[in-house]
Amino acid sequence: APGVTPRVAYRAYPNNVSDVFETGLVSDNSVTLSTPLGTTGSFVTTISRTDHSGIIPNSAYNKTSFAIGGNNEFNNGFRMGVNLSYTSSLQEGLQGGAPASTETSSFMARTLYQGRNWDLHGQPFEDPITHESIFMLGRGTADNPLWSAKYNGFNSDVTRTVANLSTGYSVKKLFDIDYRIGINTYNQNDLEWFRPGSRGAGGLGEVLAGYHNFEEIESILMLSRKERFSESFAIQARIGHNMNQRMTNSQNFQGTQMLDFNIIDVDNTISQVTNGGDLEKQRLIGVFGELTFDYNSYLFLSLTGRNDWSSTLPVDNRSYFYPSASLAFVFSEALNMDPTGVLSNGKIRLNWSKVGADADPYLLAPIYYVNLGEPDNLTAGVRDIDFPFGGQAGLTLENVLKDPDLNPEFTTDMEAGVELGFLNNRITIDASVYQTTSTDQLANLSLPSASGYDAFYTNFGELKSVGAELTLGLTPVSTQNFEWNISAAFTKYKTTVEELFDDVTEIEIRPLFGGAVTPVLRVGEEYGVFRGTVSARDEEGNLLIDRSNGQVLNAVEEEIIGNPNPDFTLGLSNSLSWKGVNLGFVLDWKQGGDLYSETVNQYMGRGVLAFQAENRELGAVIPGVYGDPVTLQPILDESGNKIVNQTFIEQNDLWFGTTFGSNAQDEWLVFDATVIRLREITLGYNIPEKALQKLPFKGISINLVGRNLWYNAPHFPKDANFDPETNTFGDANFQGFEFQNLPSIRRYGVNLKFTF
């Protein structure tokens, strides 16, 4: 299915830097060959290639994949299947983000908020002799973004192999036996560099290299039997054994002070040190069973149970059991309802389950590290001590205390749902409500530094989620030549921290850059709320203003300033088909949920938004009352009344002072991330078979695709054109933080599919 998909930067930047971005292009081609093996088997092979040039200079992603597999059932009842897939990919990119040590050597860190009158392409960006960066700002202050794009970067070379073998045999009048074993290997080699002359790495140049190898082996043996005792009653039973083994091996190296400007290799540096490594092994062994009862094909009861033994838990706690039960009642079958009637289909379901999970490896006792005093080691929990000392190497214990009596985590889920179909399923409704309770969570709990440790890894607390999901399907028109289908999905949930550990009322999920806003778990609050700095207010909520300069006073204590969890999400899709022509579109609505945005912070602090230009020459008076900078209490007049602020400040002080914008308290950088989005539009055509009779094709289809074509985020600052569907930390267990991410992408594509 060959396809060519151009991608363009979507965010309309509020300054003159949009020309540093390029139009990206994705070319995705694949060929699949399949053939039957006798009457019961098949053989399939697929080869695919993806070439992707990004919207930023010198960025690309290329992937080649190959898969082959087959299965067959022989006359003697023996079954066998084999599958093998191999993927090789190479990602090339630029230095990004905004960590304090490399902020201005990042392509994005300076691109987002440079001056409107700076012409990046109208002057050289590198010294022709030394190759150092040339910029409007000094080399010690920032790199030219074009220089960063050309000379600072990273690449990641990844190969993945997945292979599995499955066999089975039916023992007549006894049971079916099935066995499956598979291996998944993942090898990644990373290279990252800052050239000499960059703001990064102190201008000396730096090369970081590392590898990460992962191997997983899993096998499942299962015996099953289905027995029908009468026309009304049947039972199916399964028992099985599962083994899963995982191993990771990684090592990183750091070379500083590059010798040759153009050789990106650790050997091309004066000083080389190891920069952290890891070797982990873990094994999980389990046994499981399942019983399913069927009464008249309309009442089903399923009971399951599983017991696991984990190598990552203490000997006394490594065995843990978790069951589940589900009940389904198809009342439309039980009541013999007419499928062409008003209510054509009906089903009620009830589910209860408990699921256990083990810990990561080596979390039962503190371990030693070779300490180099590097920032990466510090984030890994290593004490801040420089080695070697006096020419002697050294080892230090990590600064996280481990609980030797860890227990597995458990999550208990209860769900009730109903499925209804009306008018021969022209209208369908699927509704459910659920409650999920998680106990004995595993995480680091903060400790006072006087204890000699920063955190204690142990079981803690209880989280409770309640939610509802509703899916509505409509087919307003269905004829021989034309059909129109509509689907809408509504989701609402709330996860609350019920308790933590002993008398602990709050723990940090993870400290972020430079002590910025922090995601926390706080008793009584929703999961992952933000804690951050706030401005001072009186008991009525009025801002306290410094009488001497007209700026807002800052409070001493941090407070909860944001909640990343949305109020609800709603998706709406439409599909129409007429004589081989297909048209579809998808709309999304996410209501609520907060986002901390460093990008918008920099926009406002540097006055690059259009609304700021409108009032650039005017002063401003911040609504509030005068406050005492020492006591943070309102200043009262002779009559004991609060004094309304009347002090003017300049626009520059309003946004670049200590009030709003760049130097503001955290609370002013959190925005309601409500967004309505046109997710996708597709227009396709399937060429009729009659038109292909003289061609060597069974089918040809062409599709035009547009993705992320429009969105509206009404609660972000005017003219920011910011897309809140972004997250710096990917799929981490906390959300709602953006630290100068790349812009979102609008994509147009053409897809062709040929069937032989």
Side-chain angles (χ1 to χ4, degrees):
V4 177
T5 307
R7 299 157 60 107
V8 297
Y10 190 34
R11 184 186 303 157
Y13 278 88
N15 48 28
N16 68 328
V17 301
S18 59
D19 59 346
V20 304
F21 293 99
E22 303 174 346
T23 298
L25 187 68
V26 178
S27 176
D28 192 354
N29 299 275
S30 66
V31 176
T32 298
L33 303 175
S34 63
T35 184
L37 294 176
T39 59
T40 58
S42 63
F43 175 84
V44 179
T45 183
T46 299
I47 301 175
S48 63
R49 171 71 180 183
T50 299
D51 293 283
H52 176 195
S53 59
I55 64 170
I56 56 179
N58 303 317
S59 65
Y61 177 76
N62 304 305
K63 182 177 71 172
T64 302
S65 299
F66 172 76
I68 186 171
N71 63 81
N72 195 22
E73 182 173 349
F74 300 94
N75 293 332
N76 58 4
F78 181 75
R79 302 179 297 274
M80 185 174 182
V82 179
N83 292 279
L84 172 67
S85 65
Y86 173 82
T87 301
S88 175
S89 64
L90 177 64
Q91 180 181 3
E92 299 174 324
L94 313 183
Q95 295 293 340
S101 61
T102 60
E103 178 176 358
T104 47
S105 63
S106 159
F107 171 79
M108 289 300 298
R110 183 56 60 178
T111 298
L112 287 178
Y113 48 80
Q114 61 179 321
R116 287 177 177 271
N117 60 340
W118 295 3
D119 183 6
L120 289 181
H121 295 278
Q123 60 179 339
F125 61 82
E126 66 174 306
D127 188 300
I129 305 300
T130 66
H131 296 294
E132 293 179 348
S133 169
I134 297 177
F135 199 27
M136 288 79 167
L137 303 177
R139 181 163 60 87
T141 303
D143 290 347
N144 188 308
L146 297 180
W147 191 94
S148 294
K150 183 176 181 180
Y151 290 123
N152 290 341
F154 74 91
N155 63 47
S156 181
D157 189 355
V158 177
T159 59
R160 180 188 292 274
T161 302
V162 179
N164 61 71
L165 169 69
S166 61
T167 61
Y169 184 73
S170 298
V171 182
K172 293 183 179 180
K173 298 183 180 181
L174 289 178
F175 52 77
D176 288 347
I177 180 170
D178 291 277
Y179 179 71
R180 184 171 69 250
I181 185 169
I183 183 170
N184 174 19
T185 65
Y186 177 93
N187 301 299
Q188 178 173 335
N189 292 286
D190 295 326
L191 193 64
E192 181 179 356
W193 61 90
F194 295 91
R195 306 273 188 137
S198 170
R199 163 71 167 76
L204 300 177
E206 179 180 81
V207 179
L208 303 172
Y211 64 82
H212 180 86
N213 301 328
F214 171 79
E215 178 187 270
E216 180 179 18
I217 300 174
E218 183 168 53
S219 73
I220 299 176
L221 174 66
M222 185 166 63
L223 303 179
S224 62
R225 178 174 179 178
K226 185 174 183 179
E227 185 72 29
R228 179 165 290 279
F229 297 97
S230 66
E231 293 184 359
S232 301
F233 184 70
I235 185 172
Q236 181 171 327
R238 294 187 178 94
I239 59 171
H241 172 271
N242 174 226
M243 188 279 290
N244 180 281
Q245 176 178 290
R246 281 166 281 176
M247 181 177 70
T248 60
N249 182 20
S250 62
Q251 184 64 61
N252 299 291
F253 307 92
Q254 179 184 33
T256 56
Q257 196 168 351
M258 292 176 62
L259 295 171
D260 187 284
F261 185 86
N262 293 310
I263 299 177
I264 308 301
D265 194 293
V266 173
D267 290 337
N268 181 43
T269 59
I270 291 178
S271 175
Q272 304 92 28
V273 295
T274 58
N275 196 33
D278 198 13
L279 175 63
E280 295 183 352
K281 296 180 180 180
Q282 64 185 108
R283 183 176 294 162
L284 184 75
I285 298 174
V287 294
F288 58 89
E290 178 183 11
L291 284 175
T292 300
F293 302 92
D294 173 0
Y295 180 71
N296 279 330
S297 298
Y298 62 72
L299 183 63
F300 303 89
L301 173 65
S302 180
L303 304 173
T304 70
R306 177 176 175 121
N307 199 94
D308 285 338
W309 291 264
S310 171
S311 66
T312 66
L313 295 172
V315 174
D316 293 339
N317 299 333
R318 65 174 49 168
S319 172
Y320 52 99
F321 175 78
Y322 45 98
S324 72
S326 64
L327 179 67
F329 177 44
V330 186
F331 60 83
S332 56
E333 291 288 336
L335 301 177
N336 293 318
M337 290 182 173
D338 183 0
T340 62
V342 175
L343 180 60
S344 52
N345 180 54
K347 177 181 178 180
I348 297 173
R349 62 179 185 270
L350 299 172
N351 299 296
W352 178 91
S353 66
K354 183 176 183 180
V355 178
D358 58 356
D360 290 332
Y362 314 129
L363 293 174
L364 301 180
I367 58 178
Y368 280 93
Y369 285 91
V370 177
N371 196 307
L372 302 172
E374 297 294 335
D376 286 346
N377 288 337
L378 296 178
T379 58
V382 183
R383 301 177 189 279
D384 188 9
I385 303 173
D386 288 326
F387 282 102
F389 182 77
Q392 300 298 316
L395 299 173
T396 61
L397 274 175
E398 61 180 331
N399 54 7
V400 177
L401 183 63
K402 309 292 181 60
D403 185 348
D405 298 317
L406 289 181
N407 288 293
E409 300 179 347
F410 284 104
T411 299
T412 303
D413 182 75
M414 294 182 291
E415 180 195 12
V418 60
E419 300 173 25
L420 302 174
F422 300 91
L423 304 176
N424 202 20
N425 288 329
R426 295 281 291 271
I427 302 174
T428 61
I429 296 175
D430 188 340
S432 64
V433 294
Y434 64 88
Q435 175 179 294
T436 301
T437 303
S438 298
T439 57
D440 287 331
Q441 302 291 288
L442 291 163
N444 288 324
L445 304 182
S446 298
L447 291 177
S449 57
S451 67
Y453 294 92
D454 291 339
F456 178 41
Y457 188 85
T458 187
N459 297 98
F460 74 94
E462 178 181 319
L463 304 177
K464 180 176 291 185
S465 296
V466 294
E469 297 178 354
L470 175 64
T471 301
L472 173 66
L474 298 174
T475 304
V477 181
S478 180
T479 66
Q480 183 177 356
N481 294 320
F482 179 73
E483 184 165 311
W484 177 19
N485 293 301
I486 302 172
S487 178
F490 173 86
T491 302
K492 181 179 178 61
Y493 68 90
K494 182 177 182 179
T495 301
T496 306
V497 180
E498 299 293 319
E499 62 178 273
L500 291 173
F501 181 78
D502 291 342
D503 58 350
V504 175
T505 59
E506 178 184 289
I507 63 173
E508 295 182 356
I509 300 177
R510 172 181 165 175
L512 301 183
F513 305 128
V517 60
T518 304
V520 299
L521 298 181
R522 178 178 287 190
V523 174
E525 298 280 358
E526 288 194 56
Y527 180 92
V529 294
F530 322 152
R531 188 191 69 224
T533 57
V534 298
S535 297
R537 290 174 169 81
D538 64 13
E539 70 281 357
E540 297 178 295
N542 299 309
L543 289 172
L544 296 183
I545 309 299
D546 190 333
R547 196 173 206 171
S548 65
N549 57 27
Q551 297 199 28
V552 176
L553 295 173
N554 296 329
V556 176
E557 300 294 332
E558 295 185 345
E559 298 179 8
I560 299 300
I561 59 173
N563 179 358
N565 302 292
D567 299 327
F568 65 82
T569 60
L570 177 63
L572 177 66
S573 64
N574 274 259
S575 64
L576 301 95
S577 61
W578 176 74
K579 294 185 177 181
V581 178
N582 302 288
L583 174 65
F585 67 87
V586 179
L587 282 169
D588 288 343
W589 175 13
K590 182 176 78 73
Q591 177 64 38
D594 294 323
L595 178 73
Y596 174 93
S597 175
E598 185 65 25
T599 295
V600 178
N601 171 18
Q602 300 297 342
Y603 284 173
M604 294 192 299
R606 285 158 175 80
V608 298
L609 299 182
F611 82 88
Q612 294 173 299
E614 297 171 359
N615 302 314
R616 192 175 299 279
E617 305 302 325
L618 302 177
V621 177
I622 300 174
V625 298
Y626 289 130
D628 188 315
V630 178
T631 64
L632 297 181
Q633 294 296 318
I635 297 175
L636 306 179
D637 60 17
E638 295 178 354
S639 301
N641 298 317
K642 300 173 185 177
I643 305 173
V644 176
N645 175 37
Q646 301 179 15
T647 304
F648 280 82
I649 62 174
E650 297 180 352
Q651 286 290 320
N652 184 68
D653 293 331
L654 184 66
W655 302 107
F656 204 69
T658 59
T659 297
F660 308 113
S662 295
N663 302 310
Q665 299 298 90
D666 295 333
E667 68 165 305
W668 302 108
L669 309 178
V670 176
F671 304 93
D672 183 328
T674 294
V675 61
I676 300 173
R677 183 183 309 276
L678 179 56
R679 177 73 61 186
E680 180 178 280
I681 294 181
T682 60
L683 176 62
Y685 179 63
N686 298 317
I687 298 178
E689 293 183 6
K690 293 181 179 180
L692 301 175
Q693 291 179 352
K694 297 182 179 181
L695 297 175
F697 305 111
K698 292 183 178 180
I700 300 177
S701 65
I702 180 171
N703 288 275
L704 305 178
V705 182
R707 294 189 177 96
N708 199 26
L709 300 179
W710 171 88
Y711 69 87
N712 180 32
H715 300 297
F716 272 77
K718 181 183 177 182
D719 310 312
N721 298 319
F722 184 81
D723 186 350
E725 193 174 86
T726 183
N727 176 40
T728 293
F729 301 100
D731 60 354
N733 62 344
F734 52 93
Q735 302 290 315
F737 300 95
E738 185 273 334
F739 288 89
Q740 299 182 357
N741 287 0
L742 289 173
S744 58
I745 302 287
R746 177 189 289 143
R747 174 182 290 184
Y748 305 95
V750 179
N751 296 302
L752 296 172
K753 183 177 180 180
F754 300 90
T755 304
F756 297 88

